[in-house]
Amino acid sequence: MVWPVRRFLGVTLVSAMALVLSPVQALGQSGREVSDVERFSDRLQMALNSGSSSAFDTLASVELQPVLAQRLERFRQDFPEVTWQVEPAAPTPDGRPTLSLRVRGAAESEGLSYSLEASEQIAIRLEGGELVEQELLAQQSLLRSGERPLAVDVAIPDVVLTGSRYDVDLIVEKPLGQALVAGGLVDLSDEQLSAQIRPNLPLAPQGGGGLFKSVQAPQQPGSQTWALMLVHPDGVVTATKRVRVVSSY
């Protein structure tokens, strides 16, 4: 079964109209000077919510502009109206600044209405107020169809040890009892993520409580990204989650 709507992953840091802050706007309510990361965060949020892609040259380096523009265009084909929230987050252990991005919206595909909730955290490097480098640290998305979207919990760890086994669960908060439910998951490759390719996701009968799988982490540090689907009597739920794989905590 083909996943009906493209995932959110990989669409971050695309822009629209940049916000030029005045010297007054560059001071927070407490009177402190706003950092470059905070200023960039404000500009990016304004750009993403403006609906235009004309300001990439003010937010990203020349090398990143075409990649980000292409990702945004693909995302907007499926979700033409969404709301973005961008905020500075805690720096990485090695001192790199990070941003937290959240997006909510709705779309229609193949006669179904979908609601989207997604989040990402990325590490960034700025030069002269422009983005010159980014690294995806964490990602999760939840896409639900139906007039009354099914309440579910994506229970997947953020970080796991190399070679360990861990659970990948999509839990229905109010179990569906004897209702016929089908589900499945697939490990997305880096090539699929970069190209935003819709995966073929095999489905199998599941219990009414959700989808429960035990998976294996790779032997080398890196990451795994899982795509999950649950088809229930009232619609479809799809989710993605990126899991960091580390050699030690």
Side-chain angles (χ1 to χ4, degrees):
M1 184 172 190
V2 177
W3 195 7
V5 183
R6 291 188 185 95
R7 70 204 168 282
F8 166 65
L9 183 61
V11 187
T12 56
L13 291 190
V14 286
S15 71
M17 184 177 67
L19 172 65
V20 180
L21 296 176
S22 70
V24 174
Q25 290 172 312
L27 295 177
Q29 293 181 354
S30 63
R32 66 178 177 84
E33 185 176 353
V34 176
S35 69
D36 289 343
V37 175
E38 290 173 305
R39 189 175 296 109
F40 180 81
S41 173
D42 289 342
R43 293 172 58 206
L44 178 60
Q45 177 173 292
M46 180 69 74
L48 289 170
N49 285 318
S50 71
S52 168
S53 59
S54 61
F56 263 116
D57 55 350
T58 67
L59 286 176
S61 65
V62 174
E63 292 77 15
L64 285 179
Q65 289 170 24
V67 176
L68 299 178
Q70 184 182 52
R71 290 176 179 174
L72 176 61
E73 178 59 29
R74 287 179 179 176
F75 180 66
R76 283 181 174 158
Q77 288 176 8
D78 290 326
F79 295 97
E81 295 185 9
V82 295
T83 300
W84 296 82
Q85 180 181 355
V86 185
E87 295 179 339
T92 62
D94 59 6
R96 290 176 296 165
T98 70
L99 294 177
S100 172
L101 295 96
R102 296 182 180 275
V103 61
R104 293 176 179 268
E108 292 188 2
S109 177
E110 300 178 0
L112 294 175
S113 298
Y114 289 87
S115 62
L116 171 71
E117 301 174 27
S119 63
E120 291 188 349
Q121 185 175 3
I122 56 173
I124 63 171
R125 183 164 67 88
L126 302 175
E127 289 184 0
E130 287 187 344
L131 177 73
V132 296
E133 190 175 291
Q134 65 170 336
E135 178 188 355
L136 181 63
L137 302 177
Q139 179 276 337
Q140 180 171 309
S141 69
L142 184 61
L143 190 66
R144 295 176 292 179
S145 73
E147 295 182 1
R148 295 179 298 175
L150 189 66
V152 296
D153 179 27
V154 181
I156 306 173
D158 296 320
V159 184
V160 298
L161 288 173
T162 53
S164 64
R165 293 200 67 83
Y166 63 97
D167 294 331
V168 173
D169 300 334
L170 185 61
I171 304 169
V172 178
E173 293 185 2
K174 294 183 178 181
L176 300 174
Q178 300 302 313
L180 181 63
V181 178
L185 81 161
V186 64
D187 185 1
L188 299 176
S189 67
D190 290 340
E191 291 74 17
Q192 286 176 305
L193 298 174
S194 298
Q196 295 177 283
I197 297 174
R198 304 184 187 194
N200 291 321
L201 213 162
L203 300 179
Q206 307 291 326
L211 175 68
F212 303 92
K213 298 292 183 180
S214 177
V215 299
Q216 181 84 44
Q219 297 297 326
Q220 299 297 323
S223 65
Q224 288 181 298
T225 300
W226 296 100
L228 303 84
M229 175 181 285
L230 190 67
V231 180
H232 59 92
D234 295 325
V236 179
V237 177
T238 62
T240 65
K241 178 67 179 283
R242 186 178 182 89
V243 179
R244 287 197 302 123
V245 181
V246 299
S247 57
S248 62
Y249 290 126

